[in-house]
Amino acid sequence: MTTTQIEMATRYDPKQVESAMRARWESSGALVAGSGDPSRPTYTIMIPPPNVTGVLHMGHALNGTLQDIVARHRRLGGFDVLWLPGTDHAGIATQAVVEKKLFAEEKITREELGRDAFLQRVWEWKERHGDVILEQFKRLGASCDWSRTRFTLEEGMSRAVRDAFVKLWEQELIYRGARLVNWDCVLQTAISDDEIEFKTRAGKLWHLKYPVSGRSGEFVTVATTRPETMLGDTGVAVHPDDGRYRDLVGKTLTLPLVDREIPVVADDTVDPAYGSGAVKVTPGHDPNDYERGARHGLPIVNILEQDGTLGAAAGRFAGLKREQGRKAVVAAMEELGLLEKVEEIEHNVPLSDRSKSPIEPIVSEQWFVKMEPLARPAIAAVKNGSLRFQPARWSKVYLDWLENVRDWCISRQLWWGHRIPVWYDEDNVPVASRDDLAIGSPHPQTGKPIVRQDDDVLDTWASSWLWPFATLGWPDVTPDLTRFYPTQFLSTASEIIYLWVARMVMAGYAFMDRLPEAERCPFSTCYIHATVLDGEGRRMSKSAGNGIDPIEMIDEYGADAVRFSLVMLTKEGQDTKLAPEKFEMGRNFINKLWNASRFVLTQAPSLPALDAASVTTLEDRWILSRLRAAIEEIGAAYEQYRFNDAAQQLYRFVWNDVCDWYVEAVKARLMEGDALACGVLGRLLADMLTMLHPLAPFVTEAVWERLRSACDAELPEMLMTAAWPAADGITRDDEAEADLDLAQTVVSALRKLRQQNNVSDRKPATATVILPDDVSVAGLERARGLVMRMAHLEELHAGTAPTRPEGAAGDVTEGLEVLLHLDGLVDREAQRLDLERSLAKLEKQIAGVSGKLGNEKFVSKAPADVVARERARLAELEGEKVRVEELLTGLGS
């Protein structure tokens, strides 16, 4: 039997634990996947790679915590877990950061520096700053396999990106064409529809008059929020059934300022009830107009340069910035008497999510991927159950996007990123290649000299959509790819369901063709985590200044407190409001666990191995029964990704069952060295720490170290490598749980009565408990010793109709009458007020239930069992009211 004296600080100090514990986990090799028994089942999680420019925010902290919970729980379940970390090169964001730094410090642009020199500067920046966010994830306690850390622009990923591009090229799913794209005039690159955010802004709606050709004094009025784009109009559209314009269809209007003849066309998409019923058609600068123009064969006129200035097609307005051009065009139209009116409006403005500047639709030569063939198996994956979203409602967002998917513009006019692997000969004939083609070498198809590589780079998502398998070595068939693909769990944010999730699923089906189709989906569960809002329900952002820095919270409260608080506050499918002071809850819980563990480990003379079959004492039977329930319920919650349920159940079990009741109940036995109580405590502490470890890994590992020294049972060196509690020899004990519930009710009532009457908890007293017929008197008799010990009673009288002592303080709760004999020490007035409050509450409850039962519609339409429960509830409340009235009468005047 172990008799080692355990030393533990009186307070848990995260700063004394976390750094050393992280180092211990990493050096142990426990985080490295594939290093143990190869027969173990695998479980793979791919971290959504944060931008290399990023720092940890609360959304990262929540998502990192959830992934770590899953990874640690599955390790405890015997899985060979790979949680693979890494970062995204974030093409636009990273290039913008370095460009800004270059100009601020050296007053040079990337063009002045040149492509190769600029890229060298970006790599240097990445080496200095690129691992910041991963180090912050480590502070959170993330148990990733750091030896497998990947970066989306590293050599292996680049090879995978080229292979994927060439495969799509060979299948004729990649093409280059002039299309209307979203153009960021600040960053001077195309961006996808999914990289746009809409903001409501105050604006103006200008109503412009276009003269009807050959009809002096006749005009057609159109309205626009971007009057400068009129310079690119090539038509005006009206609804074919709009009688106002029927005679004008096929005729022309004279476009003011440029004197271009433009046709009036009939188009079903025009709403005749909106404005004048006529709309200007600018195919080169509006996506709807692009479609209309294509239907009617209207030419495309591009009036904008890539930097947002007006180009040659804008005539005398060429060279003006778009805002200047807008003012100049309006002034010119007003001078001609062609500005009918101006309205003040609020409208949604499309902004680049990177530069925050207004997006300009322009026609540009870009590279595209045909998406419809790739989308088909990704749609089927959800419909046939290969992919499950949790919460399930997010599958609709996924399907809606895929079922209406447009071709993906994959080219970006940047330097930082995967350069498009296409080369051209002297006749501009393109060819895609997995390997670099040397300038001057023969074109593989034409034989003519290669003269250049395409200047553009791929959209960042064109590398991260390969993340689940490229990180494992694809296109090679590596041991990691064979063992760890497909993955099982992805946790991510709702806003990238179509940006990333859907594309990864498409990529899995498109490129993992060596596998049967049923095994290609890259993950089986996609968990969409909550959005973390500030205390007022607003999204956190730098611009709003309402963000909470997770690292600051870890410094103040500790990583476990931050993790536990985040999960406790976040219910599945609901966004969560967060304020810094809410982390106090997590800190209080961690301290409660530490203090209870410290008491057990420092006061128990030993913690012998438990023989569960020899347990007969009520409180021991009860806590082992509650432990069995906790192991099953919490294990199921973890298994089903019900993180909040697991945290809530652990909180109640640790705080209420273990700390508040069991430890209090066995304190005397513990101090006396009761071997059975000590054995139960040892088993209880080991299983409790194991269940809590996925949520609070640092404190549980720290206590585990000390438990190993005190416990006779053989425990693994690290809790991280332990096994989930097996509940061997422990069964549910309904009788013990019912008896203890009754004991808790009585003890709680007696403690309340002592407090109300200013009587010391330690002062011996006598109590009487009156039980209704449907409550087992035998149950209270079995709990008699525990009740007397915890309530500090000299005598306890119990029955269905014992004599009520005159002047006793009483409480009616859960069908029981609990009376405390205070022999004249009772504060009668306080007791009277409390009973009167109880009576008022009961009368209010009775009125509510009576009203419901008096409602004929409720009684006739509600299920019979519901009506029966309400009637039983009314009878119970009325019985309690009678007993409260009797207690008030007993107090006398």
Side-chain angles (χ1 to χ4, degrees):
M1 179 179 292
T2 302
T3 57
T4 305
Q5 186 64 40
I6 303 298
E7 293 185 3
M8 290 179 70
T10 54
R11 289 180 61 83
Y12 175 65
D13 183 357
K15 291 182 174 66
Q16 297 296 316
V17 172
E18 292 176 358
S19 179
M21 195 63 72
R22 290 197 307 271
R24 184 178 176 218
W25 287 332
E26 286 193 51
S27 64
S28 72
L31 306 182
V32 178
S35 57
D37 181 358
S39 67
R40 289 180 297 163
T42 61
Y43 194 95
T44 310
I45 305 169
M46 294 288 175
I47 198 170
N51 287 353
V52 73
T53 57
V55 293
L56 202 71
H57 57 60
M58 274 300 167
H60 291 134
L62 173 61
N63 195 20
T65 297
L66 299 181
Q67 292 172 80
D68 194 51
I69 288 170
V70 175
R72 289 179 185 273
H73 173 254
R74 295 312 193 268
R75 281 194 199 96
L76 294 170
F79 285 86
D80 182 7
V81 173
L82 169 60
W83 182 16
L84 190 144
T87 50
D88 193 291
H89 66 277
I92 294 176
T94 307
Q95 179 162 316
V97 166
V98 178
E99 282 195 75
K100 185 177 179 180
K101 182 175 183 292
L102 270 175
F103 194 77
E105 296 177 0
E106 303 178 41
K107 296 294 184 288
I108 57 172
T109 65
R110 65 180 167 106
E111 289 82 7
E112 291 168 335
L113 198 58
R115 185 169 194 145
D116 291 343
F118 175 76
L119 290 177
Q120 181 59 37
R121 294 292 190 95
V122 183
W123 277 108
E124 289 170 2
W125 182 92
K126 186 266 176 188
E127 293 305 314
R128 286 196 301 272
H129 305 288
D131 292 334
V132 168
I133 195 165
L134 295 184
E135 291 302 314
Q136 291 176 323
F137 268 109
K138 291 181 182 181
R139 290 285 311 275
L140 187 67
S143 60
C144 298
D145 182 347
W146 300 106
S147 69
R148 285 179 165 89
T149 301
R150 304 302 300 269
F151 177 54
T152 56
L153 205 55
E154 68 190 26
E155 185 178 345
M157 289 293 294
S158 295
R159 181 165 168 260
V161 168
R162 281 201 179 186
D163 196 86
F165 186 97
V166 173
K167 282 180 186 294
L168 294 175
W169 174 280
E170 291 168 347
Q171 295 169 35
E172 299 184 348
L173 293 177
I174 284 184
Y175 65 94
R176 185 169 175 82
R179 290 285 191 91
L180 195 73
V181 298
N182 305 303
W183 190 262
D184 184 325
C185 297
V186 172
L187 298 175
Q188 296 190 37
T189 181
I191 65 172
S192 70
D193 292 343
D194 312 314
E195 295 170 305
I196 295 174
E197 57 186 35
F198 289 87
K199 295 289 184 184
T200 301
R201 290 185 173 178
K204 294 181 180 180
L205 185 65
W206 287 271
H207 294 257
L208 310 177
K209 297 194 298 184
Y210 292 179
V212 178
S213 301
R215 297 188 186 182
S216 180
E218 261 189 73
F219 303 91
V220 172
T221 299
V222 296
T224 179
T225 58
R226 299 157 65 219
E228 71 280 7
T229 63
M230 68 165 285
L231 303 172
D233 286 0
T234 56
V236 167
V238 297
H239 194 278
D241 298 330
D242 192 337
R244 294 171 294 178
Y245 302 110
R246 190 169 290 128
D247 68 322
L248 288 179
V249 173
K251 304 290 194 301
T252 64
L253 309 176
T254 302
L255 185 65
L257 307 182
V258 293
D259 292 330
R260 185 164 60 240
E261 296 291 308
I262 60 174
V264 177
V265 298
D267 194 282
D268 289 330
T269 63
V270 176
D271 180 0
Y274 182 76
S276 68
V279 296
K280 61 194 285 296
V281 182
T282 321
H285 298 289
D286 182 277
N288 294 322
D289 290 352
Y290 182 82
E291 301 291 339
R292 288 189 184 114
R295 283 195 293 273
H296 299 286
L298 300 179
I300 293 172
V301 174
N302 185 2
I303 65 162
L304 286 174
E305 301 292 348
Q306 293 187 350
D307 62 358
T309 57
L310 300 187
R316 61 188 164 112
F317 303 98
L320 294 177
K321 293 181 179 178
R322 41 186 171 166
E323 296 81 5
Q324 296 170 332
R326 181 170 302 171
K327 291 177 182 178
V329 166
V330 170
M333 290 292 284
E334 187 171 22
E335 186 178 341
L336 293 171
L338 298 178
L339 177 63
E340 184 174 284
K341 63 178 179 178
V342 182
E343 291 181 69
E344 300 289 334
I345 63 168
E346 282 195 346
H347 62 136
N348 282 332
V349 178
L351 304 177
S352 164
D353 68 356
R354 291 300 178 192
S355 70
K356 307 304 179 186
S357 64
I359 287 299
E360 292 291 350
I362 66 170
V363 173
S364 174
E365 283 274 338
Q366 302 288 339
W367 289 98
F368 295 87
V369 173
K370 295 177 183 177
M371 296 291 273
E372 195 274 335
L374 299 175
R376 285 196 292 267
I379 292 168
V382 165
K383 294 186 174 181
N384 66 27
S386 298
L387 172 60
R388 183 179 68 92
F389 278 85
Q390 189 171 330
R393 70 175 187 272
W394 291 109
S395 62
K396 184 178 186 304
V397 174
Y398 170 93
L399 289 173
D400 284 350
W401 186 78
L402 283 173
E403 288 169 350
N404 299 280
V405 72
R406 294 186 175 191
D407 286 355
W408 175 15
C409 175
I410 57 168
S411 48
R412 298 291 182 269
Q413 287 63 54
L414 303 170
W415 288 351
W416 174 249
H418 294 279
R419 194 166 177 180
I420 289 176
V422 169
W423 284 261
Y424 301 86
D425 68 9
E426 56 192 18
D427 295 329
N428 222 32
V429 176
V431 63
S433 174
R434 290 176 175 83
D435 301 314
D436 283 348
L437 298 181
I439 303 302
S441 65
H443 190 289
Q445 295 166 358
T446 68
K448 294 183 178 181
I450 292 292
V451 296
R452 66 183 179 91
Q453 183 180 356
D454 199 289
D455 284 330
D456 290 350
V457 300
L458 290 168
D459 177 10
T460 293
W461 301 103
S463 54
S464 55
W465 77 323
L466 310 177
W467 188 250
F469 48 87
T471 53
L472 299 175
W474 184 89
D476 294 334
V477 181
T478 64
D480 271 5
L481 185 64
T482 302
R483 183 163 176 78
F484 293 110
Y485 187 91
T487 77
Q488 283 68 47
F489 178 76
L490 174 74
S491 178
T492 192
S494 60
E495 57 262 30
I496 56 174
I497 288 175
Y498 38 81
L499 276 170
W500 190 47
V501 176
R503 287 172 176 161
M504 282 192 290
V505 178
M506 287 189 277
Y509 283 99
F511 301 123
M512 290 301 293
D513 48 1
R514 69 176 186 83
L515 294 175
E517 187 161 311
E519 298 174 23
R520 292 184 198 174
C521 191
F523 31 82
S524 50
T525 296
C526 179
Y527 184 92
I528 304 299
H529 65 73
T531 299
V532 182
L533 309 173
D534 71 6
E536 297 177 11
R538 302 173 301 170
R539 276 183 171 267
M540 293 184 183
S541 68
K542 286 183 181 178
S543 58
N546 63 342
I548 301 173
D549 185 345
I551 299 302
E552 289 181 6
M553 296 301 100
I554 290 172
D555 288 339
E556 183 171 355
Y557 297 99
D560 288 331
V562 169
R563 292 164 61 110
F564 194 81
S565 298
L566 282 171
V567 180
M568 278 287 284
L569 294 167
T570 306
K571 294 183 179 178
E572 183 180 304
Q574 300 178 24
D575 292 342
T576 186
K577 294 180 182 179
L578 192 63
E581 59 271 16
K582 290 191 176 182
F583 293 107
E584 292 175 6
M585 173 194 62
R587 179 171 62 187
N588 292 342
F589 176 77
I590 299 303
N591 286 336
K592 184 83 167 180
L593 172 71
W594 178 265
N595 291 336
S597 302
R598 179 177 178 272
F599 177 80
V600 171
L601 292 171
T602 59
Q603 298 302 316
S606 65
L607 294 176
L610 175 67
D611 176 10
S614 63
V615 171
T616 56
T617 308
L618 174 60
E619 60 264 28
D620 294 344
R621 290 167 51 211
W622 170 75
I623 197 61
L624 292 178
S625 180
R626 296 298 305 131
L627 176 61
R628 175 61 183 256
I631 291 170
E632 293 172 351
E633 292 165 7
I634 294 164
Y638 280 142
E639 193 73 35
Q640 297 161 15
Y641 313 120
R642 292 184 290 108
F643 304 106
N644 179 261
D645 287 350
Q648 296 282 355
Q649 290 167 335
L650 275 162
Y651 186 93
R652 289 191 294 269
F653 179 68
V654 173
W655 194 293
N656 300 338
D657 292 352
V658 177
C659 297
D660 284 356
W661 286 100
Y662 185 71
V663 172
E664 288 298 316
V666 299
K667 269 185 178 178
R669 294 170 59 201
L670 180 66
M671 306 294 280
E672 293 165 3
D674 184 312
L676 206 50
C678 291
V680 171
L681 281 167
R683 172 67 181 272
L684 179 62
L685 190 53
D687 288 357
M688 184 172 71
L689 293 172
T690 307
M691 289 188 290
L692 188 56
H693 180 71
L695 269 162
F698 291 105
V699 68
T700 51
E701 192 78 77
V703 175
W704 183 269
E705 280 185 304
R706 293 157 175 83
L707 177 62
R708 286 187 71 246
S709 300
C711 191
D712 285 356
E714 190 163 334
L715 300 176
E717 184 176 346
M718 289 196 309
L719 176 52
M720 175 184 282
T721 60
W724 182 258
D728 293 341
I730 302 175
T731 58
R732 295 298 299 271
D733 189 330
D734 293 338
E735 182 183 82
E737 292 202 38
D739 292 351
L740 218 298
D741 284 348
L742 183 58
Q744 287 176 331
T745 301
V746 173
V747 171
S748 296
L750 290 170
R751 287 174 174 172
K752 174 184 171 185
L753 291 171
R754 285 177 179 271
Q755 184 179 22
Q756 288 172 346
N757 295 280
N758 198 26
V759 176
S760 168
D761 287 342
R762 300 289 175 178
K763 186 171 183 178
T766 299
T768 295
V769 180
I770 302 174
L771 301 102
D773 293 337
D774 58 348
V775 176
S776 172
V777 176
L780 188 56
E781 285 302 324
R782 289 190 293 269
R784 171 179 288 275
L786 179 65
V787 170
M788 293 186 69
R789 188 165 68 252
M790 296 195 73
H792 298 285
L793 298 178
E794 292 177 315
E795 296 181 41
L796 173 62
H797 307 288
T800 56
T803 303
R804 284 189 178 85
E806 187 174 343
D811 186 42
V812 177
T813 177
E814 297 187 26
L816 308 178
E817 234 177 277
V818 181
L819 303 161
L820 188 61
H821 306 218
L822 295 176
D823 299 328
L825 297 177
V826 66
D827 183 339
R828 290 177 178 273
E829 188 56 31
Q831 176 69 0
R832 185 190 310 282
L833 288 172
D834 188 63
L835 287 169
E836 287 173 349
R837 281 193 292 269
S838 296
L839 183 61
K841 181 179 178 182
L842 285 166
E843 288 173 340
K844 185 176 180 180
Q845 290 174 314
I846 288 169
V849 178
S850 297
K852 190 181 290 186
L853 290 171
N855 184 331
E856 291 184 12
K857 187 179 291 186
F858 169 77
V859 174
S860 61
K861 292 188 175 182
D865 61 324
V866 173
V867 176
R869 281 200 302 272
E870 290 297 320
R871 286 178 173 148
R873 174 67 176 148
L874 180 61
E876 181 184 344
L877 291 169
E878 287 174 337
E880 288 195 22
K881 179 186 174 188
V882 170
R883 287 192 289 275
V884 170
E885 289 172 335
E886 289 173 351
L887 287 169
L888 278 167
T889 301
L891 282 175
S893 58

